[in-house]
Amino acid sequence: MNKKIIIGFLAFALFIGLIVWLLDGTSEGGRNIQKRYSSNWDKTYELKDDNPRNISFFMDLLNVHVKDSVYNLAYWNDLDSIPNHEEATYLFIGNEFGAPSDYYDSIMHYADSGATVYFSFNHITTDLYDRHFEEGAFYWDYSKVLFAWIGDTTVPFYHVFQNDTINEDWYSFSETEIIDTNYRSYMYAMKHPFAFYEKHHKGKVHFHSIPNLFENYQVIQPNGYAHARIVLNKIPRDKPVIFLTCGINDSSQEITYEDEDEGDGAEKEDNSLIQFILKNPILRLAFLLMLLLLLLYVFFRAKRKEEILPGYNQKRNMSLAFVETLGSIYISRNSPVGVLQVMRKNFYSAINRHFYIDLSRKEKREQNIEKLLAKVPYDSEKLLEIINGLDPRKNNVDNRHLGAIYGKIRAFYIETGILHPTQNFVASDKEVNLDKSIWMGAFILLQGLLALMRGLYMLSLGGGIGMLIVIPGILLIYFASRYIRIPVATIKANEIIIYGLVAGKRVISLNQTIRCTVDKTFITFECEDGNTFKIRQTLLSRRAKSALNQFVEFIKLHKS
């Protein structure tokens, strides 16, 4: 591989590594940042407040866990406005839960159809309690610490208020008072379950009796995180989650609904990648600069500094058009004689135009031929061969005869100065680039940038799989950069350079016989030295296609 390509790729990889290091929160600069946490211990179970007794940290974990959206249902009447609410996960975490009978029946019906329901509460209203429990269904303990069996071990949970560890009410369920006897327990405290689920046909309904374990100051502890992880494993990743804020039934608990003036009770949590970027000032600035640089690059790359064919500015050679006209006449008439007659007419016209001798007049043709032989500095025998060869009565006219006559006429034109063919496609100090169409490169570049940003975002969240997206993103950006920067081919005075799409190049000498074949997709060049190469026309820009067509005309005239 070319050394310049390797050096460029390593430089680009180093640049990406620098960006990742700058955005990495574990650097020394990040360690010196002092974060300020609130000391308000009064509010509880709010979704977006970082105060110790709210549940915003658990909701952040839930947003990462769930691939779909998370909704905050502030009013029961807005349930039907949430997309796919029939198969969603219904979540409640709070001190006391309650719900109108018709809405609760709807949630249970959705659970029968495959939805998941998760209730964590200290208390539940009587009408809902009677549906699931007999009288005396809770065990109660008043203590500073709760020893709970989480996963495969027993861990302590302390109740903290401000800087003190104080007593708290801890609840667990009585196994004999649960109406559904087919329940399954998965977390225990005080020798009784405090989390279990009931199977409802295709779905499940979970009950959890210690919502304090979801509070922020608990979740940031190792034991609290282990508890949150077990709960998250019970929540499907591929379905939306509806948090039932409307189910709070505690008058002493303060409830805050954001954007209440808009009247939209179903608040959708926007977890998209673009929101993550726009919320971070550094990422937002980098994103805007990236868009600006991309637009500037595409704009200036699209502009051409030179004309299609710099160098010689001469009149178009009509020899190719003449040959094509002869070919069309031959095909239409299917007779070499008709082609020969056209060649004779054009030859006589050229003689009359340049030497003022009219050979088309039969009565003076012999005299005019003698004048032409005396006036034109050309071999008399060769000139007579041309004139006699243009007479169909004196020759066996076939394709070979037409080719021989055409070669003699062309040699006559060149030697007498009628025709001055250009031996170079461009001047020796010039070159022509056959540039690619820029839109495909811009599309690949955009896909690479999106993949790179998504991979970096996943890495910032601690997901190692993000590296599997970063590497293809870098490769796409490299390929798009090469696609945009490097043309399909560069035509110089004595050579043409063909560039590969991924890497490498080939140099073909133009000082040899070259034949070309044109079709709708490719132009194929066959060289005298055995080299063969193709140029795909669909890759080229509009101007490059025009330049390539002129190069093909040049090859047919001078190199075939």
Side-chain angles (χ1 to χ4, degrees), residues 112-123:
D112 293 338
S113 301
T116 301
V117 181
Y118 206 105
F119 297 138
S120 180
F121 51 81
N122 288 319
H123 307 283

Side-chain angles (χ1 to χ4, degrees), residues 55-302:
I55 59 174
S56 62
F57 294 169
F58 175 78
M59 295 304 296
D60 291 339
L61 295 175
L62 179 64
N63 287 329
V64 176
H65 172 77
V66 177
K67 296 180 180 179
D68 208 315
S69 301
V70 178
Y71 299 88
N72 180 16
L73 185 65
Y75 305 99
W76 288 106
N77 293 333
D78 296 324
L79 179 60
D80 293 336
S81 64
I82 299 179
N84 300 323
H85 64 276
E86 299 89 351
E87 57 183 21
T89 297
Y90 292 87
L91 175 64
F92 175 82
I93 301 173
N95 184 51
E96 181 174 338
F97 176 71
S101 297
D102 52 346
Y103 287 108
Y104 193 79
D105 291 339
S106 298
I107 293 177
M108 293 298 107
H109 174 71
Y110 297 149
D112 293 338
S113 301
T116 301
V117 181
Y118 206 105
F119 297 138
S120 180
F121 51 81
N122 288 319
H123 307 283
I124 188 173
T125 56
T126 303
D127 56 330
L128 303 184
Y129 176 94
D130 294 338
R131 293 194 183 199
H132 300 281
F133 306 100
E134 301 289 351
E135 184 177 355
F138 291 93
Y139 287 96
W140 170 70
D141 186 26
Y142 186 67
S143 174
K144 294 181 180 180
V145 59
L146 173 75
F147 291 94
W149 185 81
I150 302 295
D152 56 358
T153 185
T154 300
V155 295
F157 292 94
Y158 297 91
H159 178 66
V160 178
F161 186 82
Q162 296 181 351
N163 296 325
D164 300 324
T165 302
I166 62 176
N167 289 342
E168 171 66 339
D169 292 330
W170 310 95
Y171 295 93
S172 62
F173 297 103
S174 172
E175 297 93 324
T176 59
E177 308 305 326
I178 300 175
I179 294 177
D180 187 348
T181 57
N182 293 322
Y183 70 91
R184 296 289 185 272
S185 304
Y186 52 90
M187 285 189 285
Y188 296 86
M190 298 174 287
K191 299 182 180 181
H192 298 283
F194 69 90
F196 71 90
Y197 68 85
E198 301 174 353
K199 289 188 176 180
H200 282 242
H201 296 287
K202 297 181 180 180
K204 296 179 181 179
V205 178
H206 296 257
F207 292 92
H208 186 287
S209 61
I210 310 179
N212 307 47
L213 301 185
F214 293 94
E215 294 179 356
N216 291 338
Y217 80 92
Q218 295 281 13
V219 173
I220 62 175
Q221 303 297 326
N223 295 344
Y225 177 76
H227 165 265
R229 184 175 59 183
I230 292 177
V231 174
L232 291 174
N233 289 336
K234 305 296 181 182
I235 297 177
R237 298 172 60 91
D238 57 347
K239 296 180 180 181
V241 175
I242 302 175
F243 190 90
L244 300 177
T245 302
C246 53
I248 295 178
N249 197 54
D250 189 356
S251 58
S252 63
Q253 182 174 333
E254 183 177 353
I255 307 174
T256 302
Y257 301 124
E258 296 189 5
D259 300 331
E260 186 172 348
D261 294 339
E262 298 180 3
D264 186 3
E267 179 189 351
K268 181 177 179 180
E269 299 285 347
D270 191 352
N271 303 314
S272 61
L273 177 61
I274 190 66
Q275 285 297 322
F276 173 79
I277 294 174
L278 295 180
K279 289 179 180 179
N280 189 304
I282 297 178
L283 290 180
R284 181 170 64 248
L285 178 59
F287 181 69
L288 295 177
L289 288 177
M290 184 232 3
L291 292 180
L292 178 61
L293 291 176
L294 178 61
L295 292 175
L296 289 176
Y297 180 82
V298 173
F299 174 75
F300 286 107
R301 180 62 185 173

Side-chain angles (χ1 to χ4, degrees), residues 325-344:
T325 302
L326 293 181
S328 63
I329 294 173
Y330 177 81
I331 294 174
S332 62
R333 298 185 181 182
N334 195 21
S335 172
V337 176
V339 176
L340 186 64
Q341 291 174 348
V342 175
M343 293 174 63
R344 182 178 62 182

Side-chain angles (χ1 to χ4, degrees), residues 314-322 406 410 414 418-422 553-554 557-558:
Q314 58 184 5
K315 296 182 179 179
R316 183 173 180 267
N317 195 313
M318 298 303 295
S319 298
L320 180 62
F322 173 68
Y406 174 74
R410 177 173 174 78
I414 294 174
I418 296 177
L419 180 63
H420 299 280
T422 302
E553 179 179 332
F554 169 81
L557 283 175
H558 304 290

